[in-house]
Amino acid sequence: MTESEKLTKLKQLTALSTDLKTRVKNLEKKLQHAIQVNGLSLLDSDSKDFSTLMKNQSEEIKRQYPDDSSYQRLFWEQQIKFNRLKDKKGMRWHPMMIKWCLYLKSKSASTYDALRHSGFINLPSERLLYDYSHVIKPGVGYNPNVMEALATEIKQKNLTEEWQQYVGILHDEIRIKEDLVYDKHSGELIGFVNLDQTGNSIQNIEQSLKEEAPKMAKNVLVIMVRGIANNLKFPLAHFATTGITADQLFTILWEAVEILELDAGLKVLFITSDGASPNRRFIRLHANNQNGIVYRSLNRYADDGRHIYFISDAPHFLKTARNCMSNSFSHKKSRNLWKNNKNISWMHIVNLFKDHCSGGLRLCPKLTKNHIDISSFGCMKVSLAAQVLSSTVANALELVYGPDTSETVCFIRHMNKFFDCLNTRSLYEARNTRNNNVAPYTSEDDERLQYLLNDFLQYFSEWKANNVAGQVVQNGLISF
């Protein structure tokens, strides 16, 4: 769009937004007027009738939900208990109700408030939820109180066997809004970059040398512990950053390993992250004169000589492959992918969607416009990438267009099997989906491991070799 078109579009959107706000206000006024004219207030006798009705239906609820620990029974019993109390402030909510309410409020605070004040159901107050969610004072870095909470979690889950103690570390950065907040309890200004002790010291020296003011944080680095043979999921720490570097990651993550190994009694087996450049540089810092790809490092805090393995997140790989392919002959047109003198083109998928994915009979029922025209939000959704790079799309391309799309089909099939092999989530998923590629691994001789090690890597190695290390130019654009 030209500048004049952008200004015109902006004015149109502003006018539309103003109009919608006016309509919302008018609807609110109409609703309030309708409630005042037609609304009915329950008398105390009516309220008692409803309470009696709930009490009489308790036996039916027990018959419908015979399990004493079911959430439906718990919810019903909590509502009855609340209604029986004369002083509602004396209500002692069940811990599972509080957990559910905390989860609901974290998803949408306005939705929780609407439910709580609707009059249909009774829920804990916001003050009670605040007290539970702020038992541990929040703070940047490795908090001793958080470590005590982790020890309590391990004890409650009874992780006493050695095979139960194996865990991994997951870390990622999320974008936040830059702002400063005054903490009236500690007298601190919160919102500046805050790393571990080593990182803060180095940062202070650099700022002194450059005569720079302290920087406000733009991102938050989150460290999480995830069990391998148990259901442990625990947020360990977070750090305020402007964009983490490999050197800063090195001290932060190895301190996490030290805490988990020596203090918590857990055994760290892997560190997982996405494919961001600081994460890749962090892995390369462990080269230690190794030849080839760096994929592990000796765990200095382990007493049995274990290694820590560096794992890149498979969903991010899949999204990167999809984004790369989507720019081949389409969108930004920054790539011109081809192999064996045949194009690997996004336009093949676009044509498939236009020609055979509309009407009643569709070759690819899940393929929608959101899969084809990728938005800034859609490019982050793993489901969209997995549904495009799927065997269903590959089969449809092969059926409709034949040999013309053979390399596109081959690429999609490899990415589909690669993701299935690394996306095993349940013991019964393979049975339910009739897809053996998502079955749990039970042997080191599994055929899928051989496929990943040989066929999958060989496919890209041959592609790279045939294209002279990825620098062959076709029609003025770079391939691979």
Side-chain angles (χ1 to χ4, degrees):
M1 298 174 67
T2 63
E3 290 298 324
S4 60
E5 290 174 338
K6 290 179 182 178
L7 290 174
T8 303
K9 186 67 174 178
L10 183 60
K11 290 178 181 178
Q12 292 175 351
L13 292 175
T14 303
L16 177 62
S17 176
T18 304
D19 179 60
L20 290 174
K21 288 179 180 178
T22 303
R23 290 169 62 184
V24 168
K25 289 182 179 178
N26 291 336
L27 288 172
E28 288 177 348
K29 290 180 180 178
K30 289 181 180 179
L31 181 60
Q32 290 175 359
H33 178 71
I35 292 174
Q36 291 174 358
V37 174
N38 302 319
L40 295 175
S41 297
L42 289 177
L43 301 175
D44 290 340
S45 58
D46 297 327
S47 179
K48 291 178 180 178
D49 290 340
F50 274 102
S51 299
T52 304
L53 181 63
M54 289 183 64
K55 182 178 180 181
N56 295 336
Q57 292 299 317
S58 295
E59 294 301 322
E60 179 65 19
I61 292 294
K62 291 179 181 179
R63 188 180 68 81
Q64 292 288 339
Y65 305 105
D67 186 3
D68 293 338
S69 59
S70 67
Y71 293 118
Q72 294 87 347
R73 280 273 296 273
L74 174 63
F75 183 82
W76 181 264
E77 291 169 358
Q78 289 284 286
Q79 297 301 304
I80 293 178
K81 181 180 178 181
F82 185 89
N83 288 322
R84 286 176 178 172
L85 292 175
K86 293 182 179 180
D87 183 9
K88 307 303 182 184
K89 294 181 180 180
M91 178 65 182
R92 296 294 179 264
W93 293 95
H94 192 279
M96 288 305 300
M97 272 293 289
I98 295 175
K99 286 184 178 180
W100 177 71
C101 291
L102 285 170
Y103 171 78
L104 183 61
K105 189 172 177 62
S106 68
K107 289 295 183 182
S108 175
S110 58
T111 300
Y112 182 81
D113 294 339
L115 281 174
R116 184 169 174 269
H117 296 103
S118 64
F120 287 98
I121 59 176
N122 300 297
L123 297 174
S125 66
E126 293 186 37
R127 178 64 195 181
L128 180 65
L129 297 186
Y130 179 88
D131 291 339
Y132 272 89
S133 60
H134 288 72
V135 171
I136 298 176
K137 183 182 177 183
V140 175
Y142 296 106
N143 190 331
N145 294 328
V146 175
M147 301 305 118
E148 292 179 5
L150 174 60
T152 303
E153 185 86 1
I154 294 172
K155 186 176 180 180
Q156 289 177 349
K157 293 183 180 298
N158 196 26
L159 306 181
T160 56
E161 299 292 337
E162 183 179 1
W163 59 271
Q164 295 176 316
Q165 296 170 354
Y166 285 100
V167 299
I169 295 176
L170 288 71
H171 66 93
D172 197 6
E173 272 191 304
I174 57 175
R175 186 79 175 180
I176 60 171
K177 180 182 178 181
E178 295 182 57
D179 199 5
L180 290 178
V181 179
Y182 175 72
D183 187 347
K184 62 181 181 180
H185 300 290
S186 63
E188 296 178 316
L189 276 177
I190 300 173
F192 292 111
V193 174
N194 195 343
L195 303 169
D196 63 324
Q197 184 176 0
T198 304
N200 286 337
S201 299
I202 295 174
Q203 180 181 250
N204 293 335
I205 293 173
E206 291 177 349
Q207 290 175 352
S208 299
L209 293 175
K210 297 178 182 179
E211 297 182 354
E212 293 180 344
K215 296 180 180 179
M216 291 175 59
K218 299 179 180 179
N219 305 305
V220 167
L221 173 69
V222 181
I223 311 293
M224 183 174 179
V225 182
R226 183 71 169 88
I228 297 177
N230 59 71
N231 60 351
L232 177 65
K233 290 182 286 188
F234 193 87
L236 189 64
H238 70 276
F239 300 86
T241 73
T242 54
I244 199 71
T245 65
D247 297 332
Q248 293 167 347
L249 268 178
F250 190 93
T251 57
I252 289 173
L253 292 178
W254 277 106
E255 185 176 357
V257 174
E258 179 184 6
I259 291 171
L260 294 174
E261 290 276 354
L262 302 183
D263 297 338
L266 299 174
K267 300 178 182 296
V268 181
L269 198 59
F270 65 86
I271 297 176
T272 298
S273 64
D274 58 25
S277 55
N279 298 332
R280 297 199 302 271
R281 286 195 293 270
F282 161 74
I283 295 174
R284 289 197 295 270
L285 288 176
H286 300 81
N288 194 23
N289 299 323
Q290 297 180 28
N291 295 323
I293 299 174
V294 181
Y295 64 95
R296 69 178 186 179
S297 177
L298 183 64
N299 187 349
R300 303 291 181 181
Y301 300 104
D303 55 4
D304 53 0
R306 276 181 288 110
H307 285 84
I308 288 183
Y309 294 85
F310 305 114
I311 302 175
S312 291
D313 192 23
H316 283 86
F317 270 147
L318 191 73
K319 289 189 294 184
T320 301
R322 188 276 314 273
N323 295 341
C324 181
M325 183 183 175
S326 69
N327 292 320
S328 178
F329 298 95
S330 184
H331 294 113
K332 297 178 182 179
K333 297 183 179 179
S334 57
R335 284 173 172 76
N336 189 354
L337 301 179
W338 58 276
K339 188 174 185 289
N340 297 330
N341 296 322
K342 289 187 178 181
N343 293 328
I344 300 176
S345 173
W346 187 256
M347 291 306 299
H348 293 157
I349 300 177
V350 174
N351 294 333
L352 175 67
F353 174 73
K354 290 180 178 179
D355 299 338
H356 302 280
C357 293
S358 60
L361 297 176
R362 306 175 61 183
L363 288 177
C364 301
K366 293 184 179 180
L367 211 58
T368 65
K369 195 173 184 298
N370 292 332
H371 294 80
I372 304 302
D373 299 329
I374 306 171
S375 63
S376 56
F377 179 73
C379 70
M380 297 186 293
K381 298 192 70 173
V382 180
S383 60
L384 296 182
Q387 288 163 358
V388 168
L389 302 179
S390 65
S391 58
T392 304
V393 174
N395 292 338
L397 288 173
E398 193 171 43
L399 175 66
V400 175
Y401 301 112
D404 293 339
T405 61
S406 59
E407 286 303 327
T408 301
V409 169
C410 184
F411 175 76
I412 292 176
R413 290 196 190 284
H414 274 297
M415 295 308 303
N416 175 68
K417 186 170 182 179
F418 158 79
F419 187 61
D420 284 348
C421 291
L422 300 180
N423 195 36
T424 301
R425 297 171 295 179
S426 167
L427 294 175
Y428 309 106
E429 186 177 6
R431 181 196 65 188
N432 297 337
T433 60
R434 290 180 289 183
N435 181 2
N436 291 330
N437 289 331
V438 296
Y441 289 88
T442 57
S443 170
E444 61 184 12
D445 297 324
D446 194 296
E447 177 272 333
R448 290 168 294 171
L449 296 176
Q450 298 303 318
Y451 162 77
L452 291 172
L453 186 61
N454 298 319
D455 298 352
F456 182 72
L457 293 180
Q458 185 178 358
Y459 170 78
F460 289 97
S461 297
E462 290 177 355
W463 189 0
K464 185 176 181 180
N466 292 340
N467 289 348
V468 193
Q471 297 299 318
V472 171
V473 177
Q474 183 181 20
N475 298 331
L477 296 174
I478 295 178
S479 171
F480 192 78

